[in-house]
Amino acid sequence: MAPAPPPAASFSPSEVQRRLAAGACWVRRGARLYDLSSFVRHHPGGEQLLRARAGSVENEAVALEETQKTDPAMEPRFKVVDWDKDLVDWRKPLLWQVGHLGERYDEWVHQPVTRPIRLFHSDLIEGLSKTVWYSVPIIWVPLVLYLSWSYYRTFAQGNVRLFTSFTTEYTVAVPKSMFPGLFMLGTFLWSLIEYLIHRFLFHMKPPSDSYYLIMLHFVMHGQHHKAPFDGSRLVFPPVPASLVIGVFYLCMQLILPEAVGGTVFAGGLLGYVLYDMTHYYLHFGSPHKGSYLYSLKAHHVKHHFAHQKSGFGISTKLWDYCFHTLTPEKPHLKTQ
Protein backbone atom coordinates (compact mmCIF):
# COMPACT_ATOMS: atom_id res chain seq x y z
CA MET A 1 0.00 0.00 0.00
CA ALA A 2 1.40 3.40 -0.97
CA PRO A 3 0.74 6.41 1.30
CA ALA A 4 -1.41 9.10 -0.28
CA PRO A 5 0.69 12.17 -1.12
CA PRO A 6 1.31 14.66 0.42
CA PRO A 7 1.95 13.46 4.02
CA ALA A 8 -1.21 12.50 5.87
CA ALA A 9 -0.68 15.19 8.52
CA SER A 10 -1.44 17.86 5.90
CA PHE A 11 -5.05 16.69 5.50
CA SER A 12 -7.74 17.94 7.83
CA PRO A 13 -10.61 15.61 8.78
CA SER A 14 -12.98 17.68 6.62
CA GLU A 15 -10.64 17.33 3.63
CA VAL A 16 -10.44 13.56 4.12
CA GLN A 17 -14.24 13.34 4.24
CA ARG A 18 -14.49 15.45 1.09
CA ARG A 19 -12.11 13.12 -0.76
CA LEU A 20 -14.04 10.07 0.46
CA ALA A 21 -17.32 11.59 -0.72
CA ALA A 22 -15.69 12.10 -4.15
CA GLY A 23 -14.97 8.36 -4.40
CA ALA A 24 -11.48 7.96 -2.93
CA CYS A 25 -10.76 5.14 -0.52
CA TRP A 26 -8.27 6.36 2.08
CA VAL A 27 -7.50 4.27 5.15
CA ARG A 28 -5.71 5.64 8.19
CA ARG A 29 -3.17 3.74 10.25
CA GLY A 30 -1.65 5.67 13.09
CA ALA A 31 -0.40 9.00 11.72
CA ARG A 32 -0.32 7.85 8.11
CA LEU A 33 -3.02 7.80 5.45
CA TYR A 34 -3.05 5.10 2.77
CA ASP A 35 -4.67 5.45 -0.64
CA LEU A 36 -6.42 2.18 -1.60
CA SER A 37 -8.54 3.66 -4.39
CA SER A 38 -6.88 1.64 -7.17
CA PHE A 39 -7.09 -1.59 -5.14
CA VAL A 40 -10.58 -1.35 -3.70
CA ARG A 41 -12.43 -3.25 -6.46
CA HIS A 42 -9.87 -6.06 -6.34
CA HIS A 43 -10.04 -6.60 -2.60
CA PRO A 44 -10.80 -10.29 -1.97
CA GLY A 45 -13.41 -9.56 0.69
CA GLY A 46 -15.26 -7.15 -1.59
CA GLU A 47 -15.28 -3.39 -2.11
CA GLN A 48 -17.77 -2.68 0.67
CA LEU A 49 -15.42 -4.09 3.30
CA LEU A 50 -12.79 -1.42 2.63
CA ARG A 51 -15.19 1.45 2.03
CA ALA A 52 -16.93 0.73 5.34
CA ARG A 53 -13.62 1.36 7.09
CA ALA A 54 -12.32 4.22 4.94
CA GLY A 55 -11.58 7.45 6.75
CA SER A 56 -12.31 6.09 10.23
CA VAL A 57 -10.06 6.92 13.16
CA GLU A 58 -10.02 3.22 14.01
CA ASN A 59 -7.03 1.04 13.16
CA GLU A 60 -8.49 0.02 9.77
CA ALA A 61 -5.28 -1.18 8.11
CA VAL A 62 -4.76 -3.70 10.89
CA ALA A 63 -8.27 -5.03 10.27
CA LEU A 64 -7.44 -5.39 6.58
CA GLU A 65 -4.26 -7.33 7.33
CA GLU A 66 -6.10 -9.64 9.74
CA THR A 67 -8.84 -10.31 7.16
CA GLN A 68 -6.27 -11.47 4.64
CA LYS A 69 -4.29 -13.53 7.15
CA THR A 70 -7.25 -15.35 8.65
CA ASP A 71 -8.72 -16.30 5.27
CA PRO A 72 -5.97 -16.80 2.66
CA ALA A 73 -8.54 -18.36 0.32
CA MET A 74 -9.81 -14.83 -0.31
CA GLU A 75 -6.42 -13.42 -1.27
CA PRO A 76 -5.92 -12.97 -5.04
CA ARG A 77 -2.46 -13.34 -6.53
CA PHE A 78 -1.99 -11.09 -9.53
CA LYS A 79 1.01 -11.31 -11.81
CA VAL A 80 3.39 -8.35 -11.71
CA VAL A 81 3.75 -7.44 -15.38
CA ASP A 82 6.22 -5.29 -17.26
CA TRP A 83 3.70 -4.21 -19.88
CA ASP A 84 6.43 -3.33 -22.39
CA LYS A 85 8.01 -6.80 -22.16
CA ASP A 86 4.91 -9.00 -21.90
CA LEU A 87 4.25 -11.71 -24.49
CA VAL A 88 1.56 -9.52 -26.08
CA ASP A 89 1.33 -5.83 -26.90
CA TRP A 90 -1.32 -4.44 -24.54
CA ARG A 91 -1.65 -1.29 -26.64
CA LYS A 92 -3.31 -3.38 -29.37
CA PRO A 93 -6.34 -5.73 -29.39
CA LEU A 94 -5.31 -9.05 -27.87
CA LEU A 95 -7.48 -11.54 -29.77
CA TRP A 96 -5.29 -11.51 -32.87
CA GLN A 97 -2.12 -11.85 -30.81
CA VAL A 98 -2.85 -14.74 -28.44
CA GLY A 99 -2.91 -17.37 -31.19
CA HIS A 100 0.79 -16.80 -31.75
CA LEU A 101 1.65 -17.69 -28.14
CA GLY A 102 1.52 -21.42 -28.88
CA GLU A 103 2.83 -23.49 -25.97
CA ARG A 104 3.18 -20.35 -23.85
CA TYR A 105 -0.55 -19.53 -24.04
CA ASP A 106 -1.83 -21.82 -21.27
CA GLU A 107 0.61 -20.48 -18.67
CA TRP A 108 0.17 -16.86 -19.80
CA VAL A 109 -3.64 -16.88 -19.73
CA HIS A 110 -3.70 -18.25 -16.15
CA GLN A 111 -1.52 -15.42 -14.81
CA PRO A 112 -4.21 -12.85 -13.85
CA VAL A 113 -3.69 -9.11 -14.25
CA THR A 114 -5.70 -6.15 -12.97
CA ARG A 115 -6.18 -4.20 -16.21
CA PRO A 116 -9.09 -4.43 -18.66
CA ILE A 117 -8.80 -6.19 -22.01
CA ARG A 118 -9.55 -5.02 -25.53
CA LEU A 119 -10.30 -7.87 -27.93
CA PHE A 120 -11.21 -6.32 -31.30
CA HIS A 121 -10.08 -3.47 -33.56
CA SER A 122 -13.66 -2.51 -34.43
CA ASP A 123 -15.35 -0.31 -31.82
CA LEU A 124 -18.74 -1.80 -32.77
CA ILE A 125 -17.67 -5.44 -32.34
CA GLU A 126 -15.73 -4.53 -29.20
CA GLY A 127 -18.87 -2.92 -27.78
CA LEU A 128 -20.93 -6.03 -28.54
CA SER A 129 -18.38 -8.18 -26.68
CA LYS A 130 -18.95 -6.29 -23.40
CA THR A 131 -21.94 -5.48 -21.25
CA VAL A 132 -23.04 -4.22 -17.84
CA TRP A 133 -24.24 -6.79 -15.31
CA TYR A 134 -27.80 -5.51 -15.08
CA SER A 135 -28.43 -6.12 -18.80
CA VAL A 136 -28.87 -9.82 -17.97
CA PRO A 137 -31.99 -9.53 -15.73
CA ILE A 138 -33.39 -6.65 -17.80
CA ILE A 139 -33.31 -8.68 -21.01
CA TRP A 140 -33.93 -12.26 -19.89
CA VAL A 141 -36.25 -12.08 -16.86
CA PRO A 142 -39.15 -10.67 -18.94
CA LEU A 143 -38.66 -13.56 -21.39
CA VAL A 144 -38.75 -16.05 -18.49
CA LEU A 145 -42.03 -14.52 -17.28
CA TYR A 146 -43.57 -14.48 -20.75
CA LEU A 147 -42.66 -18.10 -21.52
CA SER A 148 -43.81 -19.26 -18.09
CA TRP A 149 -47.21 -17.62 -18.40
CA SER A 150 -47.66 -18.75 -22.00
CA TYR A 151 -46.82 -22.39 -21.34
CA TYR A 152 -48.79 -22.51 -18.09
CA ARG A 153 -51.86 -21.45 -20.05
CA THR A 154 -51.16 -24.27 -22.52
CA PHE A 155 -50.97 -26.77 -19.65
CA ALA A 156 -54.22 -25.39 -18.22
CA GLN A 157 -56.03 -26.29 -21.45
CA GLY A 158 -55.32 -29.98 -20.74
CA ASN A 159 -53.97 -30.84 -24.20
CA VAL A 160 -50.33 -31.53 -23.33
CA ARG A 161 -49.29 -35.16 -23.78
CA LEU A 162 -45.97 -36.98 -23.75
CA PHE A 163 -44.74 -39.55 -26.32
CA THR A 164 -46.98 -38.30 -29.14
CA SER A 165 -44.01 -38.59 -31.50
CA PHE A 166 -43.75 -42.35 -30.85
CA THR A 167 -47.30 -43.55 -30.35
CA THR A 168 -50.86 -42.33 -30.43
CA GLU A 169 -52.24 -45.14 -28.27
CA TYR A 170 -50.10 -44.86 -25.12
CA THR A 171 -49.51 -41.13 -24.75
CA VAL A 172 -49.41 -39.68 -21.24
CA ALA A 173 -51.31 -36.54 -20.28
CA VAL A 174 -49.34 -33.87 -18.44
CA PRO A 175 -51.53 -31.91 -15.98
CA LYS A 176 -50.92 -28.27 -15.11
CA SER A 177 -49.83 -29.34 -11.61
CA MET A 178 -46.60 -30.56 -13.27
CA PHE A 179 -45.68 -27.05 -14.37
CA PRO A 180 -43.75 -26.02 -11.20
CA GLY A 181 -41.83 -29.31 -11.17
CA LEU A 182 -40.85 -29.00 -14.85
CA PHE A 183 -39.79 -25.39 -14.30
CA MET A 184 -37.60 -26.33 -11.32
CA LEU A 185 -36.21 -29.26 -13.30
CA GLY A 186 -35.02 -26.77 -15.90
CA THR A 187 -33.31 -24.65 -13.24
CA PHE A 188 -31.65 -27.75 -11.77
CA LEU A 189 -30.51 -28.99 -15.19
CA TRP A 190 -28.97 -25.59 -15.89
CA SER A 191 -26.67 -26.01 -12.87
CA LEU A 192 -25.35 -29.22 -14.46
CA ILE A 193 -25.02 -27.61 -17.90
CA GLU A 194 -23.19 -24.68 -16.29
CA TYR A 195 -20.71 -27.08 -14.69
CA LEU A 196 -20.16 -29.15 -17.86
CA ILE A 197 -19.65 -26.10 -20.10
CA HIS A 198 -17.26 -24.50 -17.63
CA ARG A 199 -15.24 -27.64 -17.11
CA PHE A 200 -15.07 -29.22 -20.56
CA LEU A 201 -15.50 -26.26 -22.95
CA PHE A 202 -14.26 -23.17 -21.16
CA HIS A 203 -11.34 -25.03 -19.59
CA MET A 204 -10.30 -27.11 -22.56
CA LYS A 205 -6.60 -26.77 -23.31
CA PRO A 206 -6.35 -25.72 -26.95
CA PRO A 207 -3.65 -27.39 -29.06
CA SER A 208 -0.51 -25.28 -28.96
CA ASP A 209 -0.19 -25.42 -32.75
CA SER A 210 -3.77 -24.24 -33.45
CA TYR A 211 -3.89 -20.47 -33.86
CA TYR A 212 -7.69 -20.39 -34.23
CA LEU A 213 -8.53 -22.73 -31.34
CA ILE A 214 -6.36 -20.62 -29.03
CA MET A 215 -8.25 -17.54 -30.22
CA LEU A 216 -11.57 -19.32 -29.68
CA HIS A 217 -10.62 -20.33 -26.15
CA PHE A 218 -9.46 -16.80 -25.33
CA VAL A 219 -12.64 -15.13 -26.55
CA MET A 220 -14.88 -17.70 -24.79
CA HIS A 221 -13.22 -17.78 -21.38
CA GLY A 222 -9.47 -17.19 -21.42
CA GLN A 223 -9.87 -13.41 -21.39
CA HIS A 224 -11.91 -13.72 -18.16
CA HIS A 225 -9.12 -15.63 -16.42
CA LYS A 226 -6.53 -13.16 -17.69
CA ALA A 227 -8.49 -10.14 -16.39
CA PRO A 228 -10.91 -11.47 -13.73
CA PHE A 229 -11.87 -7.99 -12.49
CA ASP A 230 -12.79 -6.52 -15.86
CA GLY A 231 -16.36 -5.71 -14.86
CA SER A 232 -17.57 -5.31 -18.44
CA ARG A 233 -16.74 -8.97 -19.25
CA LEU A 234 -18.12 -10.80 -16.21
CA VAL A 235 -21.54 -11.66 -17.67
CA PHE A 236 -22.41 -12.87 -21.17
CA PRO A 237 -23.15 -10.04 -23.63
CA PRO A 238 -26.73 -10.15 -24.99
CA VAL A 239 -25.87 -10.77 -28.68
CA PRO A 240 -23.72 -13.92 -28.32
CA ALA A 241 -25.89 -15.07 -25.39
CA SER A 242 -29.03 -14.86 -27.53
CA LEU A 243 -27.47 -17.18 -30.14
CA VAL A 244 -26.59 -19.82 -27.53
CA ILE A 245 -29.96 -19.47 -25.79
CA GLY A 246 -31.72 -19.85 -29.14
CA VAL A 247 -29.88 -23.12 -29.80
CA PHE A 248 -30.91 -24.48 -26.39
CA TYR A 249 -34.54 -23.51 -27.04
CA LEU A 250 -34.61 -25.30 -30.41
CA CYS A 251 -33.08 -28.40 -28.85
CA MET A 252 -35.74 -28.52 -26.14
CA GLN A 253 -38.49 -28.11 -28.74
CA LEU A 254 -37.08 -30.98 -30.80
CA ILE A 255 -36.71 -33.34 -27.83
CA LEU A 256 -39.93 -32.66 -25.89
CA PRO A 257 -43.51 -31.51 -26.61
CA GLU A 258 -43.65 -27.75 -27.04
CA ALA A 259 -45.15 -26.86 -23.65
CA VAL A 260 -42.98 -29.34 -21.72
CA GLY A 261 -39.77 -28.35 -23.48
CA GLY A 262 -40.64 -24.65 -23.23
CA THR A 263 -41.31 -24.88 -19.49
CA VAL A 264 -38.04 -26.71 -18.83
CA PHE A 265 -36.30 -24.12 -21.00
CA ALA A 266 -37.85 -21.23 -19.05
CA GLY A 267 -36.61 -22.73 -15.78
CA GLY A 268 -33.17 -23.20 -17.29
CA LEU A 269 -33.14 -19.59 -18.50
CA LEU A 270 -33.87 -18.42 -14.96
CA GLY A 271 -31.00 -20.63 -13.81
CA TYR A 272 -28.74 -18.89 -16.31
CA VAL A 273 -29.76 -15.46 -15.00
CA LEU A 274 -29.05 -16.54 -11.41
CA TYR A 275 -25.70 -17.97 -12.54
CA ASP A 276 -24.58 -14.74 -14.21
CA MET A 277 -25.73 -12.59 -11.30
CA THR A 278 -24.00 -14.91 -8.82
CA HIS A 279 -20.82 -14.83 -10.87
CA TYR A 280 -20.72 -11.04 -10.87
CA TYR A 281 -21.38 -10.91 -7.14
CA LEU A 282 -18.62 -13.42 -6.40
CA HIS A 283 -16.14 -11.04 -8.01
CA PHE A 284 -17.35 -7.72 -6.60
CA GLY A 285 -19.67 -8.54 -3.71
CA SER A 286 -18.94 -8.57 0.02
CA PRO A 287 -20.77 -11.57 1.51
CA HIS A 288 -20.79 -12.04 5.27
CA LYS A 289 -18.21 -14.47 6.57
CA GLY A 290 -19.77 -17.86 7.25
CA SER A 291 -22.61 -17.36 4.74
CA TYR A 292 -23.28 -19.60 1.74
CA LEU A 293 -22.23 -16.83 -0.66
CA TYR A 294 -19.00 -16.35 1.29
CA SER A 295 -18.25 -20.04 0.80
CA LEU A 296 -18.99 -19.72 -2.94
CA LYS A 297 -16.78 -16.64 -3.19
CA ALA A 298 -13.84 -18.42 -1.54
CA HIS A 299 -14.47 -21.38 -3.87
CA HIS A 300 -14.37 -19.12 -6.94
CA VAL A 301 -11.38 -17.06 -5.80
CA LYS A 302 -9.38 -20.27 -5.42
CA HIS A 303 -10.50 -21.37 -8.89
CA HIS A 304 -9.14 -18.16 -10.41
CA PHE A 305 -5.92 -17.73 -8.48
CA ALA A 306 -4.76 -21.15 -7.32
CA HIS A 307 -6.67 -24.16 -8.70
CA GLN A 308 -7.85 -23.48 -12.25
CA LYS A 309 -8.39 -27.20 -12.89
CA SER A 310 -11.00 -27.56 -10.15
CA GLY A 311 -13.88 -25.58 -8.68
CA PHE A 312 -15.98 -25.34 -11.85
CA GLY A 313 -19.34 -24.69 -10.19
CA ILE A 314 -20.39 -21.03 -9.96
CA SER A 315 -23.94 -20.91 -8.60
CA THR A 316 -23.49 -24.14 -6.64
CA LYS A 317 -20.74 -26.54 -5.56
CA LEU A 318 -23.07 -29.54 -5.92
CA TRP A 319 -21.51 -30.91 -9.10
CA ASP A 320 -17.98 -30.31 -7.82
CA TYR A 321 -18.93 -32.60 -4.93
CA CYS A 322 -20.44 -35.18 -7.29
CA PHE A 323 -17.52 -35.24 -9.72
CA HIS A 324 -14.74 -34.74 -7.13
CA THR A 325 -13.51 -31.41 -8.50
CA LEU A 326 -13.74 -29.32 -5.32
CA THR A 327 -10.84 -26.94 -4.81
CA PRO A 328 -8.52 -28.43 -2.18
CA GLU A 329 -8.76 -27.07 1.33
CA LYS A 330 -5.69 -25.48 2.88
CA PRO A 331 -4.17 -28.12 5.21
CA HIS A 332 -4.19 -27.26 8.91
CA LEU A 333 -0.84 -26.85 10.57
CA LYS A 334 -0.10 -29.51 13.16
CA THR A 335 0.39 -28.28 16.69
CA GLN A 336 2.94 -29.70 19.06
Side-chain angles (χ1 to χ4, degrees):
M1 296 183 295
S10 65
F11 290 101
S12 66
S14 60
E15 173 66 9
V16 171
Q17 293 303 318
R18 189 181 70 80
R19 297 295 184 94
L20 295 177
C25 184
W26 289 3
V27 173
R28 180 177 176 179
R29 184 180 184 183
R32 305 193 73 181
L33 195 63
Y34 292 85
D35 186 359
L36 304 182
S37 303
S38 62
F39 170 71
V40 65
R41 282 179 66 80
H42 306 131
H43 183 250
E47 179 176 354
Q48 297 175 11
L49 183 64
L50 283 185
R51 292 205 179 275
R53 292 164 170 78
S56 173
V57 183
E58 303 293 334
N59 207 0
E60 304 88 350
V62 173
L64 168 63
E65 291 172 0
E66 288 177 353
T67 299
Q68 294 180 335
K69 288 178 181 178
T70 56
D71 199 345
M74 288 293 200
E75 184 177 356
R77 299 172 180 86
F78 291 103
K79 179 178 174 58
V80 178
V81 178
D82 184 338
W83 304 111
D84 295 325
K85 297 179 180 179
D86 196 27
L87 297 177
V88 296
D89 186 348
W90 286 85
R91 296 168 295 183
K92 301 176 181 179
L94 297 188
L95 184 59
W96 317 111
Q97 302 182 61
V98 295
H100 296 293
L101 296 181
E103 295 180 353
R104 298 173 294 179
Y105 170 75
D106 190 63
E107 180 181 3
W108 175 84
V109 81
H110 289 115
Q111 295 174 336
V113 298
T114 58
R115 64 181 294 168
I117 281 177
R118 184 178 179 96
L119 292 176
F120 301 98
H121 291 282
S122 167
D123 290 339
L124 174 61
I125 299 177
E126 178 70 10
L128 293 176
S129 73
K130 301 188 293 185
T131 190
V132 292
W133 68 267
Y134 49 81
S135 69
V136 174
I138 287 176
I139 293 172
W140 301 116
V141 168
L143 181 58
V144 171
L145 295 175
Y146 170 77
L147 291 175
S148 300
W149 174 244
S150 175
Y151 288 122
Y152 179 78
R153 291 178 62 188
T154 302
F155 275 104
Q157 294 172 4
N159 299 322
V160 180
R161 306 187 73 85
L162 287 175
F163 310 124
T164 55
S165 300
F166 306 101
T167 177
T168 57
E169 188 174 355
Y170 299 105
T171 58
V172 177
V174 184
K176 66 179 181 180
S177 60
M178 290 292 294
F179 176 86
L182 291 171
F183 187 91
M184 294 306 297
L185 175 64
T187 305
F188 177 75
L189 287 177
W190 164 258
S191 69
L192 175 60
I193 293 170
E194 162 202 321
Y195 174 89
L196 295 175
I197 291 176
H198 192 187
R199 179 178 178 180
F200 295 108
L201 181 62
F202 288 173
H203 278 272
M204 70 171 184
K205 185 176 181 180
S208 60
D209 59 349
S210 177
Y211 176 85
Y212 292 105
L213 285 180
I214 291 175
M215 285 178 57
L216 178 63
H217 178 269
F218 189 69
V219 76
M220 285 194 308
H221 196 61
Q223 46 89 13
H224 173 56
H225 269 263
K226 190 62 182 176
F229 285 96
D230 186 344
S232 64
R233 298 188 184 278
L234 276 176
V235 299
F236 283 98
V239 172
S242 63
L243 299 176
V244 177
I245 288 171
V247 170
F248 274 111
Y249 180 75
L250 290 176
C251 290
M252 296 305 298
Q253 293 299 302
L254 290 173
I255 296 171
L256 297 168
E258 180 182 2
V260 176
T263 301
V264 173
F265 171 81
L269 186 57
L270 178 62
Y272 158 70
V273 173
L274 295 175
Y275 149 79
D276 248 354
M277 295 299 91
T278 301
H279 186 211
Y280 189 89
Y281 184 79
L282 296 185
H283 279 261
F284 289 118
S286 303
H288 294 291
K289 190 168 185 178
S291 66
Y292 176 70
L293 285 174
Y294 188 92
S295 171
L296 279 182
K297 184 177 177 75
H299 180 70
H300 195 57
V301 167
K302 288 191 287 185
H303 168 74
H304 267 285
F305 296 100
H307 303 286
Q308 291 90 356
K309 295 183 179 180
S310 60
F312 300 108
I314 305 297
S315 55
T316 177
K317 293 190 283 186
L318 171 65
W319 302 109
D320 284 305
Y321 280 109
C322 292
F323 297 113
H324 307 291
T325 55
L326 282 171
T327 52
E329 296 289 338
K330 187 177 180 63
H332 296 286
L333 296 177
K334 293 183 179 180
T335 56
Q336 298 293 334

